[in-house]
Amino acid sequence: MNKTFLLTLIIVITLIFVVLIKKNKTNENSIVLKEDSVILAFGDSLTFGYGAASDFSYPAYMQKKTGLHIINAGVNGEFSSEGLKRLPSFLEQKPDLVILCHGGNDIINRRSAEDLKKNLLAMIDLIQKSGARVLFVGVPSFGLFGFDTHEVYVEVAEQRNVLYADDVIANIQKDDSLKSDYVHPNKNGYEMMADNFISLLDLSKKESF
């Protein structure tokens, strides 16, 4: 084994180790909730529940399955810049957790990825400053050749070290049986979102769950 090969091997192993550390750090802990915890579901049409009746949005499913009080603050067609302006009034309700799922309209309308990132970072900063925890949801690229999660969301999750639901929406987008149209889930898709988010929460202190 020559020195060049050995050096290359060490570099590759080190890079893999660093990537794994970052990934684990982003999703290091679940979020502990108590029986009286309040969850704010903040976002656009994916939060509102477009494509399904109001009883079948992901916040409605989560409330039904957990018994927790969940505020659905989703607005159809909203851009991240608008969400950033709207968020403070909802934070006045002092939620314990905010599920942030925003930016799909920016992506579909090909708005600046840099501005989207700045808006998402600013929203997370507002949430954390309010004392609430964050569950950040990755949104896919909605491209012609696939629905992988947009790279902006990975970057934001790592920079702010928040609990991150990476690919649940991307996986729904790849399965037509879970969608009501090209972009939005149907009731089965929204239930899948709810189940994924619940799995990231520690409800062990909630007696009735």
Side-chain angles (χ1 to χ4, degrees), residues 57-70:
S57 65
Y58 91 73
Y61 273 119
M62 286 190 71
Q63 180 160 299
K64 187 182 301 182
K65 289 171 180 272
T66 67
L68 295 170
H69 178 45
I70 301 180

Side-chain angles (χ1 to χ4, degrees), residues 65-83:
K65 289 171 180 272
T66 67
L68 295 170
H69 178 45
I70 301 180
I71 303 166
N72 187 335
V75 172
N76 292 328
E78 184 175 73
F79 293 105
S80 63
S81 57
E82 298 169 324

Side-chain angles (χ1 to χ4, degrees), residues 98 105 149 152 174 193 198:
V98 178
N105 292 300
T149 301
V152 161
K174 296 171 185 176
M193 289 176 67
I198 290 170

Side-chain angles (χ1 to χ4, degrees), residues 5-209:
F5 178 80
L6 182 59
L7 181 59
T8 302
L9 182 61
I10 292 173
I11 292 173
V12 170
I13 292 174
T14 302
L15 288 173
I16 292 173
F17 181 75
V18 169
V19 169
L20 289 175
I21 289 293
K22 283 187 175 182
K23 183 175 181 180
N24 290 333
K25 186 178 181 183
T26 302
N27 294 282
E28 186 176 4
N29 298 309
S30 61
I31 293 176
V32 178
L33 294 177
K34 298 180 181 179
E35 188 172 358
D36 60 351
S37 294
V38 175
I39 297 176
L40 171 64
F42 190 84
D44 47 38
S45 57
L46 294 174
T47 299
F48 178 84
Y50 185 91
S54 59
D55 290 344
F56 300 112
S57 65
Y58 91 73
Y61 273 119
M62 286 190 71
Q63 180 160 299
K64 187 182 301 182
K65 289 171 180 272
T66 67
L68 295 170
H69 178 45
I70 301 180
I71 303 166
N72 187 335
V75 172
N76 292 328
E78 184 175 73
F79 293 105
S80 63
S81 57
E82 298 169 324
L84 178 57
K85 294 177 182 178
R86 186 168 62 93
L87 178 58
S89 63
F90 283 93
L91 293 177
E92 291 176 359
Q93 301 183 47
K94 301 298 181 183
D96 299 283
L97 168 68
V98 178
I99 303 176
L100 179 61
C101 177
H102 217 306
N105 292 300
D106 296 62
I107 296 170
I108 291 172
N109 288 275
R110 299 183 180 181
R111 289 199 168 188
S112 166
E114 183 179 350
D115 288 344
L116 171 59
K117 183 176 180 179
K118 289 179 180 178
N119 292 334
L120 292 172
L121 288 170
M123 281 191 264
I124 290 175
D125 289 343
L126 285 173
I127 294 167
Q128 293 179 328
K129 186 177 181 181
S130 77
R133 299 288 297 279
V134 181
L135 172 51
F136 185 52
V137 184
V139 177
S141 298
F142 302 110
L144 294 175
F145 304 105
F147 293 99
D148 292 332
T149 301
H150 197 291
E151 60 184 9
V152 161
Y153 292 84
V154 179
E155 295 170 0
V156 169
E158 290 183 350
Q159 286 186 28
R160 288 298 182 267
N161 190 27
V162 291
L163 189 64
Y164 179 43
D166 184 9
D167 55 5
V168 59
I169 298 179
N171 289 337
I172 291 170
Q173 293 299 322
K174 296 171 185 176
D175 186 345
D176 288 341
S177 69
L178 297 173
K179 297 196 293 183
S180 62
D181 57 29
Y182 182 72
V183 172
H184 299 95
N186 56 26
K187 65 179 184 179
N188 295 325
Y190 285 121
E191 184 172 18
M192 182 174 170
M193 289 176 67
D195 289 341
N196 179 272
F197 301 157
I198 290 170
S199 73
L200 297 174
L201 306 178
D202 183 351
L203 300 167
S204 59
K205 295 185 179 180
K206 187 180 182 308
E207 298 174 358
S208 61
F209 178 67

